Amino acid sequence: MAEAAAAQIEILDVFVEDGVAPEIPTEISHVQLWRVQSGVLSNVGSVVTSQGVAAIASIPAQTEVSADYDFVVELAAVGDPGNAGNIVRSAAAAGAQAILFGPNSVDPWNPKTLRASAGALFRVPLAEAGSAHLQLQGGRRFGADPHRGVRCDAVDLTGPVVLVVGNEAHGLDAQAASGIQSWLSVPMAPKVESLNVATATAILCYEVARQRRAAGR
């Protein structure tokens, strides 16, 4: 709730169970607070054990991605909400300017995605990827694949980058792959098949950030 308030997300109502004394951020001190019986939020919420506080908020409008951005992460049919939330968290921490949720990807505001992002969904612009492949000014679209492409630490990622990551089981589908200009892989020990998509994306995002720090960007 504090993350949402700090990001100026519109919070409409706050629900607090009896016996809980929450810290209400000053930004939302004017919001209606409702007291409910102990155990109610565990029954109506999506978590097994509630902290005794819940809020209703307006979903922010999706943004238009500027062609002047230089680092965007695109999810192509990433269906697992936990993976998606962790991808958003890693991308935001590595400095991505926007996250695109492509067709057949999980709803970014799925409760599990929101929890896994640890508030990052409030800090980085979200957008929907249309049928046209996003191109950044002077940049390239890189697809992540464990079995082909250049090692991520052996390719220049200091220019504008769209990093496209795919489905947990099948990788990038034909539609997503058709717009890829270069392929990236994460170096792994022999006999290791692949990495979880969220883990692989975190490594790739931090390689982008590492190269840019080394280049003084």
Side-chain angles (χ1 to χ4, degrees), residues 3-95:
E3 291 276 3
Q8 299 184 328
I9 303 297
E10 183 185 15
I11 296 178
L12 306 175
D13 294 278
V14 176
F15 299 87
V16 181
E17 291 186 350
D18 290 337
V20 175
E23 294 184 9
I24 303 298
T26 56
E27 297 94 336
I28 61 169
S29 58
H30 63 284
V31 174
Q32 176 70 54
L33 187 149
W34 303 91
R35 283 285 177 181
V36 298
Q37 292 182 348
S38 179
V40 166
L41 298 181
S42 293
N43 291 329
V44 301
S46 59
V47 295
V48 175
T49 303
S50 170
Q51 295 179 347
V53 181
I56 296 176
S58 295
I59 294 177
Q62 300 233 335
T63 186
E64 292 288 334
V65 176
S66 170
D68 293 329
Y69 285 175
D70 67 2
F71 183 20
V72 175
V73 175
E74 181 176 325
L75 284 66
V78 174
D80 182 85
N83 280 337
N86 279 296
I87 288 171
V88 172
R89 187 176 185 179
S90 298

Side-chain angles (χ1 to χ4, degrees), residues 11-203:
I11 296 178
L12 306 175
D13 294 278
V14 176
F15 299 87
V16 181
E17 291 186 350
D18 290 337
V20 175
E23 294 184 9
I24 303 298
T26 56
E27 297 94 336
I28 61 169
S29 58
H30 63 284
V31 174
Q32 176 70 54
L33 187 149
W34 303 91
R35 283 285 177 181
V36 298
Q37 292 182 348
S38 179
V40 166
L41 298 181
S42 293
N43 291 329
V44 301
S46 59
V47 295
V48 175
T49 303
S50 170
Q51 295 179 347
V53 181
I56 296 176
S58 295
I59 294 177
Q62 300 233 335
T63 186
E64 292 288 334
V65 176
S66 170
D68 293 329
Y69 285 175
D70 67 2
F71 183 20
V72 175
V73 175
E74 181 176 325
L75 284 66
V78 174
D80 182 85
N83 280 337
N86 279 296
I87 288 171
V88 172
R89 187 176 185 179
S90 298
Q97 294 159 302
I99 312 292
L100 274 67
F101 278 73
N104 301 317
S105 287
V106 66
D107 181 351
W109 299 107
N110 177 291
K112 188 175 180 180
T113 303
L114 184 58
R115 290 196 303 274
S117 80
L121 276 167
F122 302 131
R123 296 192 296 269
V124 61
L126 299 180
E128 289 184 355
S131 57
H133 300 302
L134 173 68
Q135 295 287 351
L136 300 181
Q137 186 68 35
R140 296 186 66 77
R141 289 177 61 85
F142 289 92
D145 191 290
H147 304 300
R148 58 174 161 172
V150 182
R151 286 171 46 133
C152 61
D153 56 354
V155 62
D156 183 2
L157 299 172
T158 58
V161 168
V162 179
L163 175 61
V164 187
V165 298
N167 178 267
E168 294 85 346
H170 309 294
L172 299 186
D173 61 23
Q175 195 276 334
S178 67
I180 298 303
Q181 296 165 305
S182 300
W183 292 93
L184 294 177
S185 63
V186 175
M188 296 180 290
K191 298 183 181 180
V192 175
E193 175 67 19
S194 64
L195 293 171
N196 169 276
V197 65
T199 301
T201 304
I203 294 170

